[in-house]
Amino acid sequence: MQLQLATQHNIEYYGEIGMGTPAQRFKVLFDTGSANTWLPSSSCPTTDIACQRHKQYNSQQSSSYVANGSKFSLAYGAGMVSGYLSQDTLHLAGAQLSGLTFGEITQHHQTIFESMSFDGIVGLAFAAIAWHETTPFLELLCQQRKIQQCLFSVYLRQQPVAAQAAGELLFGGVNSARYKGELHYVPVSGEGYWQIQLSGVAVRGKLIDNNVAAIVDTGTSLILLPQRVLGSLYAALGARMLGDIYSLSCKLEELPAVAMHLGNFTLTLTPADYVVEIEGLCISIFVPFNYDFWVLGDVFLRRYYTVYDAEGSGRMGFAEAV
Ligand SMILES: *[C@@H]1O[C@H](CO)[C@@H](O)[C@H](O)[C@H]1NC(C)=O
Ligand SMILES: *[C@@H]1O[C@H](CO)[C@@H](O)[C@H](O)[C@H]1NC(C)=O
């Protein structure tokens, strides 16, 4: 079951689903960093601009709609949304997933949602971080045996500004044409998230972080890291302070790779992956935040093909994307 992903500015990647009977079409972000699914609701007020600018789900036009009405709110890095729960059939690449509990959004609390290209989100993580007593998308897909193996794979590309073909999401399989070498598998290390344990992160052989968790997140554009690591990372990259910005050399060949170790296997980000040039200034895509784990976002996923295997206790596979 394969879906094509489109992008805007390589910041967001999204694909198409249908909801209800007959299917109402939506663009959604398939988010490995969360487990709930939501769409803008036709019952949102006219004052909610993000809602007005996107496609809205209308339960009255769906014969498979089942009311619930429990209220919820969800917090993301970018902001908060709230609404109420409903249940309906989700259509995806020709398959039908019945009885999915999802959120109808009646309020987007931050204006950032107004400018997003996608209408809603389909969370691909586990029940432990989903709404209480709901079965999230991936688990429902596997329960209803829509795919033979309970896994999916992600392939993302860098594209000029906007592109319809910027990636591929494959449910139930792995596309060996999208990577080179072998897939290296490691166990999922935390409950709820697609989380792995990095044995170390090093620059030119110097450890800058040690035995730390990392979440692989299609819903994050950049790479987030614990605030405590930033000083040693920037020192190792030779960053200089310019006002309140850390700038790096624009001579990429002089910059080191950042190596993330998974036991005997290493994931490497090269300067071409982690440096962006903005108005003549070269800055890195490493962004500090106040948590004690790393978040490997789209920058990482453009370099590595990833497999999310939910069979048994779960594992993740990595190979260099082509
Ligand atoms: C709404 O869904 C939640 C989560 O599945 C469930 O616990 C609750 O009983 C449902 N409420 C109604 C009114 O169906
Ligand atoms: C690397 O480690 C994994 C798991 O610990 C093991 O299965 C694999 O054989 C090792 N590979 C090499 C080349 O040592």
Side-chain angles (χ1 to χ4, degrees), residues 38-228:
W38 59 257
L39 298 169
S41 174
S42 62
S43 64
C44 69
T46 52
T47 49
D48 190 299
I49 295 166
C51 194
Q52 301 306 330
R53 286 195 184 157
H54 289 92
K55 286 284 291 288
Q56 300 160 9
Y57 167 80
N58 186 340
S59 60
Q60 289 174 1
Q61 287 170 10
S62 172
S63 62
S64 46
Y65 164 68
V66 178
N68 177 298
S70 293
K71 290 191 165 45
F72 71 87
S73 60
L74 290 174
Y76 294 89
M80 210 169 94
V81 293
S82 56
Y84 57 89
L85 298 183
S86 289
Q87 212 181 73
D88 212 332
T89 299
L90 185 148
H91 305 255
L92 171 91
Q96 291 182 24
L97 188 62
S98 59
L100 179 71
T101 298
F102 68 102
E104 286 195 47
I105 299 301
T106 52
Q107 196 177 359
H108 298 74
H109 297 262
Q110 273 74 26
T111 52
I112 185 158
F113 291 105
E114 295 167 12
S115 57
M116 295 199 170
S117 310
F118 56 84
D119 304 307
I121 289 181
V122 171
L124 298 178
F126 301 97
I129 58 167
W131 289 305
H132 189 55
E133 290 180 341
T134 65
T135 306
F137 172 82
L138 181 65
E139 284 170 48
L140 202 60
L141 194 70
C142 298
Q143 265 178 23
Q144 294 183 12
R145 304 198 180 280
K146 302 295 175 187
I147 48 181
Q148 286 195 336
Q149 281 176 291
C150 191
L151 58 81
F152 63 95
S153 313
V154 172
Y155 175 69
L156 299 185
R157 292 293 77 202
Q158 174 94 29
Q159 295 288 7
V161 193
Q164 285 308 309
E168 174 184 295
L169 179 57
L170 182 60
F171 287 100
V174 169
N175 185 351
S176 58
R178 298 304 196 189
Y179 61 86
K180 55 189 168 196
E182 299 271 298
L183 280 163
H184 294 262
Y185 284 97
V186 292
V188 167
S189 68
E191 226 195 324
Y193 290 97
W194 287 104
Q195 181 185 312
I196 55 172
Q197 194 69 13
L198 301 177
S199 47
V201 182
V203 177
R204 291 198 170 102
K206 183 179 183 298
L207 267 189
I208 60 156
D209 206 356
N210 200 4
N211 199 23
V212 66
I215 286 167
V216 183
D217 185 6
T218 53
T220 292
S221 305
L222 306 177
I223 298 207
L224 310 183
L225 46 79
Q227 181 75 48
R228 60 175 172 75

